[in-house]
Amino acid sequence: MKKISIILVILALPLLVSAHELRAVKVEPKISLESLPASVVEARPPSGGGSSGGDQTENEEAEDEVEIVFETLRGKLEIFHFDDFAESENSFYSYKLDLGNGQKLDLAPDFFTSYRENEEVTITGFRAGGVLVPTAVSADTYTALEPSEMLEALGEQKTLVVLVRFLDSLPEPLTREEVEQLVFAGSANAFFREQSYDQTHFSGQVLPWHTLPREGRVSGACLTPSLGLGGELDDYLLSSGINLHQYDRLLIFTDHPCVAGGNSSVGKYDLYLGDEVYRLSTSNIFELRNFNQAHRDEAFDFSRFDFVLSHEAGHALGLGHARGWDCANGVLSGGCGSVEYGNSFDAMGNGYYALHFNVFEKLLLGWLNEEDLVTITTPGTYHLSPLESTQGTRGAKIDFGGNWKPLFLEYRSGAGFDFLLNNGEPTSNLQGLLANQVVTTGVVVPVSRLLDFTPQPSVSWYLDSIQSSLNLEA
């Protein structure tokens, strides 16, 4: 088995990581009623008649007053991520507070970047209808990366697939049986088996196509199906006869021309359906029609659908994005900024040249453990096996201490689902090490950001980072 040697003078590395580090600052702003966002001001408590109760008159609408209450609430934080692969600036996180009594509140964004999915929090703020705008947040416990959370990514992942269309959807692109074959016996599942070293795979069943009694476009905008707490898919799932307690993952494939990409909960959460509470992750995939469109190369059996499914499954297992770290004047010098899907060698980035999750992500998910890595604290020569291999030392960690962020190194061989590394410009990465800096504070979930060791400041990140590795001759 081919290995690569790391020859490092460790004392020189901290020079790369100093003045341009970002420090997370937790801000607890004071919000006046005048500064409340429009989403709160316009919020309406749900009415018993629902949306089908007829139009209100002008007088009735004027009398529908909004009650704004200042209070302190305790609950469990839920985090969802919405992906826009074409326009990454449109990707975003959304947050809910589960009060534990069958009630959930939408939370104003930007207050929760240091908290984790399922973390118990106490929030003080302004509540109007189903919206809470916090003025202060405190965590009762800090549960990030607890072993029980990591182990949920190991083993068989029992998955229920729901196929949804609308009155104005195109004809069904695949039959239920074809979808079952695609999800459970296709490339995405094979990819997870390979990159997890056969420790994680998905199994389950696919429900028949279900047509919602409305159009996919409502008032000119795409409206995806709602789920939980009286959502429009609730009755269908409850009447299906399926015991959702038997499942870990819920995949919803929504077919309509106006939707693309996908979204997912980050890890599992409590889903309220009827009188039951189900502990699972939910992901929405909008790319089923692209089941035969190549993700990158026609010769490589991995479709656009496979990529989106794998990316959202990564979120469902608890991962954030594999980002890039773009600096103006060097590897870590000049003005630096995060590139949301900036790692082209990772399916949690854009996966354009390789697909395996990076070594840090595999460590988070429990696919690798500390014994599979070497921790470098002194200068010397170290040997790494390929990340794609099933044995050997498959990564290195350099922890500088203090405010410096740890660095994870990995060697890729271009085997298996990293096949695209063998073609064209990306082949230079086979001669060196890919390096990811890890950020665990000031972010929604721990994230990695790829460093470019052959930077060209005048070139866009996606072109520049094709050759990113730390090579002996660099």
Side-chain angles (χ1 to χ4, degrees), residues 86-137:
E87 302 290 340
S88 61
E89 63 272 15
N90 294 332
S91 298
F92 65 95
Y93 286 95
S94 70
Y95 310 85
K96 291 182 182 293
L97 183 67
D98 183 353
L99 300 179
N101 57 359
Q103 186 178 11
K104 299 185 181 184
L105 300 177
D106 291 315
L107 297 171
D110 300 328
F111 291 87
F112 309 101
T113 55
S114 295
Y115 293 87
R116 301 287 183 261
E117 169 83 5
N118 300 314
E119 192 164 17
E120 291 286 341
V121 293
T122 299
I123 300 181
T124 299
F126 295 98
R127 176 179 179 180
V131 180
L132 180 65
V133 180
T135 60
V137 186

Side-chain angles (χ1 to χ4, degrees), residues 19 35 43 56 86 89 104 114 120 139 164 177 249 273 329 375-376 404 419 434 437:
S35 66
Q56 288 182 307
E89 63 272 15
K104 299 185 181 184
S114 295
E120 291 286 341
V164 182
E177 292 76 16
R249 316 289 170 190
L273 288 180
N329 299 317
T375 299
I376 299 176
W404 289 324
F419 164 81
L434 294 177
Q437 194 182 56

Side-chain angles (χ1 to χ4, degrees), residues 150 154 195-197 199 356-373 385-396 408-410:
M150 289 193 297
L154 294 173
Q195 69 163 345
S196 70
Y197 316 110
Q199 295 178 91
H356 270 246
F357 294 174
N358 65 57
V359 65
F360 170 68
E361 293 166 330
K362 292 189 180 191
L363 187 64
L364 287 184
L365 295 176
W367 297 344
L368 293 174
N369 54 51
E370 295 291 345
E371 289 71 33
D372 297 313
L373 278 66
S385 298
L387 180 67
E388 303 96 336
S389 64
T390 59
Q391 57 187 352
T393 302
R394 282 157 285 179
F408 284 79
L409 306 175
E410 63 196 44

